[in-house]
Amino acid sequence: MSQQSTTPRSPQPHSASGAWAAGGTMFAAVLLLVDGVLGVIKGISGIAQDEVYTRLGSYVFKFNVQAWGWIHLLLGVVLLVVGVGLLKGAGWARVMGVALASINVIFDFMWLPYTPLWALVSIAISLFVIWALCTDSSRTSTRTA
């Protein structure tokens, strides 16, 4: 029989930004779920009646509100799926969360003439989601046995 010497490992020190990012990942998942639900609601409103949203001034990107409704509806459903994946800890959901939050920033920028204040709020939420998912290294750290 051989004896193995085990030395206690000191806990890894976590920086303040690492703790924020780890907690931020859970919050990012919830925000993706909320943004997904709101996207579905925006989409249904745009599809159901073209007069729900009014355009403010002239803008370069001219789309039919019903077309935007379908875009927001589909993106909202996908955001819901990715949010659930993040809550379950799926690795693919982190990558998809960053990609879809980036796409959401672009779409919300193009949606500015219809709902300027909410588009800016949604852009800020998406940027937080991107930051939280990119800075949390706690799930990608390698563990040695």
Side-chain angles (χ1 to χ4, degrees):
M1 287 179 56
S2 66
Q3 291 182 332
Q4 293 182 347
S5 169
T6 59
T7 58
R9 294 183 187 177
S10 62
Q12 295 286 340
H14 292 288
S15 66
S17 65
W20 271 96
T25 300
M26 181 64 71
F27 189 53
V30 173
L31 284 178
L32 278 178
L33 288 172
V34 170
D35 211 13
V37 168
L38 292 174
V40 168
I41 292 170
K42 280 192 288 189
I44 291 171
S45 297
I47 294 167
Q49 190 174 7
D50 211 17
E51 290 85 28
V52 172
Y53 297 110
T54 60
R55 235 173 92 221
L56 301 175
S58 182
Y59 200 64
V60 175
F61 306 108
K62 295 178 183 174
F63 292 100
N64 182 344
V65 176
Q66 287 181 332
W68 272 119
W70 283 107
I71 290 169
H72 283 293
L73 178 66
L74 294 174
L75 184 60
V77 169
V78 176
L79 286 173
L80 284 169
V81 171
V82 172
V84 170
L86 276 172
L87 287 176
K88 290 186 175 187
W92 60 267
R94 290 185 68 188
V95 174
M96 289 298 296
V98 171
L100 289 172
S102 301
I103 290 170
N104 201 29
V105 167
I106 295 166
F107 285 169
D108 282 328
F109 176 77
M110 295 172 70
W111 186 244
L112 275 170
Y114 302 99
T115 57
L117 182 61
W118 182 245
L120 290 174
V121 169
S122 185
I123 288 170
I125 289 171
S126 295
L127 290 175
F128 176 80
V129 168
I130 293 167
W131 172 83
L133 295 178
C134 289
T135 57
D136 180 19
S137 61
S138 65
R139 293 181 187 249
T140 59
S141 64
T142 57
R143 296 181 181 150
T144 57

